[in-house]
Amino acid sequence: LANSVLTKRPLERQNRLIQLIIKAGIFELLENKDADFRLIIGEYVDIAHAFFDHKEAGMINGVLDSLSRAVR
């Protein structure tokens, strides 16, 4: 699912922490379908900002946003 969004660089080729942030975000989006997806995505983008610069956090935001639209 995530690899369909990450066409240039599949999830397996991402930094391990980025992989884990995206996987945790996907899990939460799938398990909490009644929750506000923007709030969930924002939480994981905040986590990404703690470890990475704007580029990586933006990529995580884009991936989770695209996936949230696909599962909702």
Side-chain angles (χ1 to χ4, degrees), residues 2 5 11-12 15 21 26 31 37-38 48 52 57-59 61-62 65 69 72:
V5 177
L11 190 59
E12 296 80 23
N15 171 292
I21 293 170
I26 291 169
E31 292 298 315
F37 70 91
R38 292 169 292 188
F52 301 104
M59 185 266 302
N61 179 54
D65 184 59
R69 294 172 196 276
R72 296 192 182 246

Side-chain angles (χ1 to χ4, degrees), residues 3 6 8 14 26 35 37-38 46 50 54 56 58 60 72:
N3 281 338
L6 295 166
K8 291 183 181 178
Q14 299 292 334
I26 291 169
F37 70 91
R38 292 169 292 188
D46 288 345
H54 184 71
E56 286 85 358
I60 289 170
R72 296 192 182 246

Side-chain angles (χ1 to χ4, degrees), residues 22-37:
I22 291 172
K23 287 178 181 181
I26 291 169
F27 174 80
E28 195 162 347
L29 288 169
L30 292 173
E31 292 298 315
N32 298 304
K33 292 184 179 179
D34 294 332
D36 182 2
F37 70 91

